[in-house]
Amino acid sequence: MIVAGLSAVARLHGGRQIFRDVTWSIQEGDRVGLVGPSGVGKSTLLRTIAGIDRPERGEVTLRRGARIAFLAQEYTGEPGRTVFEELLSARADIAALDHDISAAERRLAEPAVIGDAAAFDTVLAEHGKLLERYEAAGAPMLRNRAEALLRDLGLEDEAWQRPMEVLSGGQRKLVGLARCLLTAPDLLLLDEPDNHLDLDHKAMLERVVRDFDGAVVVVSHDRYFLDETVGEIAEFEPGREGATLRRWEGNYSAYATQKELALLRQQQDFSAQQKEIARLEAAVARFKLWARLVVDERHIKQARNKQRQIDSMEKVERPVLERRKMALQFQPRERGGARAIDLRGVDKAFGDNVVLTSVRATVMNGGRVGIVGANGAGKSVLLRLMLGELAPDAGEVWVGPSIHQGYYAQEHETLDMSQTPIDAVRAVRQMYEAEAVSQLGRFLIPYDVARQPIATLSGGEKSRVQLARLMLSGANCLVLDEPTNNLDIASCEVLEHALDSFSGALVVVSHDRYFLDRIVDRIFEVRDGALRIFEGGYSYFAEHSQRR
């Protein structure tokens, strides 16, 4: 049975067509991975299905009574609410019933109602119907269900009463996921739900998606996650007149194989058709020449027939075997000293919450350090200490006098959302607007997007603007917090290549196993307030931590 249907849906933004003619039926139990380059319109499509945005053309229809839950790419929740309040707010219908039941109970206690038998019976009957609806909605078990979800998703009990704004990005994602599940939706729309999650929570998320009763559409750039969870890939393919949607059976690995074979077949068909067109065009030219030399109606008819053959062909488009990639290269303006950063007996706590104790470590210039640990363990705190954004409670964070740090923030905090990308890159280095546009073009930010406020950009576009600023800074020490979040697979490969050839110091927090294995040669694990150092890459760390 169809849960949601799209018929010739198109979306525009700032005069630019994002996607066109999307026709798609999402069936009960479907597990779909939505993939495509960053900025192609994946998040926009999810928001359109969820009913948050309306299409400029076409129609989105839902099965009668179908419930949809949407988890945004950067879920923050309502500031000021505790985790538990944020979770319960998902069931506004139950909150409204609670209010109506309380109002009915107050009316039952009013003297005027008590003294009027008919009025009392009317209010009592209304109260009874409200209680029936309350029971049918599952309200009596709501708190128990909310608690069970938070525990199943691995959010510690002590975090339930914390304000949403103090949680880490991964913890907020877990609250957002729990909030979606609490509504018991028929269709679950997840926009990069694995961003900010540590490895244990990624495994948990895979189980949640596999075990979910309804349909799931998920945007993700994690190939392993897509292989483990989906049975169909919906791919957005960019085009001159907006992206189009193409569906493939199987998980990501099956899709990648099918896509490669399909492109090779398309290349063969395109080449064969171009040869046939060239043969027919030569025949047309030949018959036209003969018709001019010898006036013969047969030559003119044959030329017309050959031209009709060309015109009636269903043209095979030239396949794009490799799409344009961003041009990223980190070049430090100066080499810097031998030692980049020293942590000398550093302690850090927030109230009674001890994050780091007696941390000692050195990052050498040219070193490649990966920081791992559970969400909330203190990885981002450690980065902010290295950057000087936080002061240690005890000890010292020493940064070499010739070390110039460049920071990539996982939630784009280094960007001013009111600026345009052009303003953002010109704030790093003085340049004419034309040069700024050219620089952004190297990062696949087209001119029309470069003139919009950064707040309107997709997560991938914001990430590429941040990388452009980082490259232009000329830093010789890169401090990166989850840099592969929001980047598509092709962009991750470009970033890996750029960091491979970077000559300065690198400190990176990441939960991307493939990325860490490619890039780092030391692992700093933050656990229980301590820093453990592993002299090897991620595979070495995984093997030794499993033994421990």
Side-chain angles (χ1 to χ4, degrees):
M1 185 181 291
I2 295 175
V3 180
L6 289 79
S7 176
V9 169
R11 288 299 313 276
L12 304 172
H13 182 75
R16 175 175 65 109
Q17 183 145 293
I18 303 173
F19 53 77
R20 60 186 169 88
D21 298 331
V22 174
T23 298
W24 184 16
S25 295
I26 302 171
Q27 307 281 339
E28 281 184 354
D30 277 356
R31 298 286 185 278
V32 184
L34 182 59
V35 303
S38 292
V40 77
K42 302 185 295 294
S43 298
T44 302
L45 181 61
L46 290 193
R47 290 173 61 86
T48 304
I49 297 171
I52 298 168
D53 298 334
R54 292 182 60 81
E56 279 72 26
R57 292 194 301 275
E59 188 179 10
V60 178
T61 56
L62 302 179
R63 189 184 68 205
R64 185 185 296 274
R67 293 186 299 273
I68 295 182
F70 170 60
L71 179 61
Q73 189 179 114
E74 296 182 12
Y75 182 80
T76 57
E78 190 70 31
R81 279 183 186 161
T82 65
V83 166
F84 211 71
E85 288 168 347
E86 177 69 18
L87 192 52
L88 294 180
S89 71
R91 294 300 303 268
D93 57 332
I94 290 178
L97 283 172
D98 252 330
H99 177 271
D100 292 344
I101 289 168
S102 298
E105 287 170 351
R106 285 194 299 272
R107 287 171 62 198
L108 285 171
E110 292 174 1
V113 174
I114 294 171
D116 184 338
F120 186 84
D121 288 344
T122 301
V123 177
L124 190 62
E126 181 187 331
H127 183 261
K129 288 178 183 177
L130 288 169
L131 287 176
E132 286 176 10
R133 288 169 57 194
Y134 191 76
E135 187 81 29
M141 296 299 294
L142 183 65
R143 294 187 72 86
N144 290 343
R145 170 72 174 143
E147 290 178 4
L149 278 171
L150 290 174
R151 290 197 179 100
D152 289 347
L153 296 178
L155 201 68
E156 306 83 358
D157 292 18
E158 59 267 22
W160 297 0
Q161 297 308 317
R162 290 181 192 163
M164 287 294 296
E165 57 266 31
V166 305
L167 300 184
S168 68
Q171 288 171 321
R172 288 199 294 269
K173 255 311 170 40
L174 293 175
V175 176
L177 180 60
R179 196 174 186 273
C180 289
L181 296 173
L182 193 63
T183 64
D186 302 285
L187 173 58
L188 188 57
L189 305 174
L190 305 176
D191 195 356
E192 302 198 25
D194 48 315
N195 277 5
H196 312 304
L197 297 187
D198 57 30
L199 300 180
D200 290 341
H201 284 106
K202 284 190 177 186
M204 174 276 302
L205 178 63
E206 289 162 12
R207 290 194 299 272
V208 167
V209 173
R210 283 197 301 264
D211 297 343
F212 180 67
D213 289 334
V216 181
V217 178
V218 57
V219 172
S220 178
H221 297 132
D222 188 321
R223 290 161 285 186
Y224 183 86
F225 174 76
L226 291 173
D227 271 350
E228 290 294 307
T229 56
V230 306
E232 179 185 333
I233 295 292
E235 180 193 21
F236 256 145
E237 296 184 318
R240 291 179 181 176
E241 298 179 3
T244 54
L245 194 71
R246 185 175 182 184
R247 296 164 65 188
W248 307 78
E249 290 296 323
N251 62 11
Y252 185 86
S253 293
Y255 146 77
T257 303
Q258 292 176 72
K259 178 75 182 289
E260 186 175 0
L261 291 173
L263 284 172
L264 290 173
R265 282 196 298 270
Q266 187 180 349
Q267 177 66 33
Q268 291 170 351
D269 292 345
F270 176 78
S271 298
Q273 188 179 69
Q274 291 302 305
K275 287 178 182 176
E276 178 64 7
I277 290 172
R279 185 186 70 79
L280 291 170
E281 285 176 340
V284 169
R286 188 166 61 250
F287 285 126
K288 284 182 176 179
L289 175 63
W290 292 348
R292 284 197 300 272
L293 296 174
V294 179
V295 178
D296 190 332
E297 187 66 25
R298 287 178 304 169
H299 296 327
I300 297 171
K301 285 182 179 178
Q302 285 174 316
R304 287 173 183 162
N305 288 338
K306 298 296 183 186
Q307 187 60 51
R308 283 194 198 100
Q309 281 183 258
I310 296 172
D311 295 341
S312 63
M313 280 182 183
E314 188 175 336
K315 300 298 188 293
V316 178
E317 289 188 15
R318 182 192 296 273
V320 181
L321 298 178
E322 184 176 15
R323 297 204 176 272
R324 185 169 163 240
K325 297 179 180 179
M326 64 176 179
L328 175 64
Q329 187 176 16
F330 296 113
Q331 293 182 322
R333 289 180 187 168
E334 58 179 298
R335 189 181 183 285
R339 284 186 304 162
I341 303 170
D342 248 351
L343 302 170
R344 301 168 177 172
V346 170
D347 294 349
K348 188 63 187 177
F350 297 93
D352 295 332
N353 180 27
V354 177
V355 180
L356 299 169
T357 56
S358 303
V359 169
R360 295 183 179 278
T362 300
V363 178
M364 301 300 292
N365 199 351
R368 302 280 189 275
V369 174
I371 300 178
V372 301
N375 282 331
K379 304 184 298 296
S380 294
V381 170
L382 182 59
L383 285 197
R384 292 177 67 194
L385 285 165
M386 291 180 178
L387 291 163
E389 292 184 358
L390 287 176
D393 298 331
E396 180 189 5
V397 178
W398 179 89
V399 177
S402 58
I403 294 298
H404 304 288
Q405 295 175 327
Y407 176 43
Y408 180 101
Q410 64 169 303
E411 295 182 18
H412 313 299
E413 298 97 320
T414 61
L415 299 177
D416 180 345
M417 295 297 160
S418 65
Q419 284 186 328
T420 66
I422 292 172
D423 296 333
V425 297
R426 293 179 74 185
V428 176
R429 199 176 78 192
Q430 286 188 346
M431 63 181 78
Y432 291 111
E433 182 174 319
E435 185 184 351
V437 170
S438 174
Q439 291 286 358
L440 289 165
R442 296 175 63 193
F443 287 81
L444 312 185
I445 305 292
Y447 180 66
D448 57 337
V449 176
R451 295 174 66 244
Q452 298 173 15
I454 291 172
T456 66
L457 273 56
S458 72
E461 288 167 334
K462 290 173 185 172
S463 293
R464 295 199 299 275
V465 172
Q466 206 173 180
L467 287 172
R469 282 168 51 89
L470 202 59
M471 183 185 80
L472 292 170
S473 73
N476 54 20
C477 176
L478 299 179
V479 182
L480 313 180
D481 197 357
E482 301 284 8
T484 59
N485 284 359
N486 304 314
L487 292 183
D488 56 34
I489 293 166
S491 296
C492 286
E493 290 172 348
V494 171
L495 176 61
E496 288 161 4
H497 179 74
L499 292 175
D500 248 350
S501 57
F502 176 60
S503 60
L506 172 67
V507 179
V508 56
V509 170
S510 180
H511 295 127
D512 186 327
R513 291 160 288 188
Y514 182 83
F515 174 80
L516 287 172
D517 251 345
R518 271 286 312 269
I519 298 303
V520 307
D521 50 29
R522 295 174 80 204
I523 294 289
F524 288 3
E525 183 193 23
V526 182
R527 181 193 289 266
D528 300 327
L531 187 70
R532 296 172 177 86
I533 298 176
F534 295 80
E535 299 293 342
Y538 179 81
S539 294
Y540 175 86
F541 156 75
E543 179 185 346
H544 284 72
S545 62
Q546 191 172 28
R547 283 183 196 166
R548 187 185 66 206

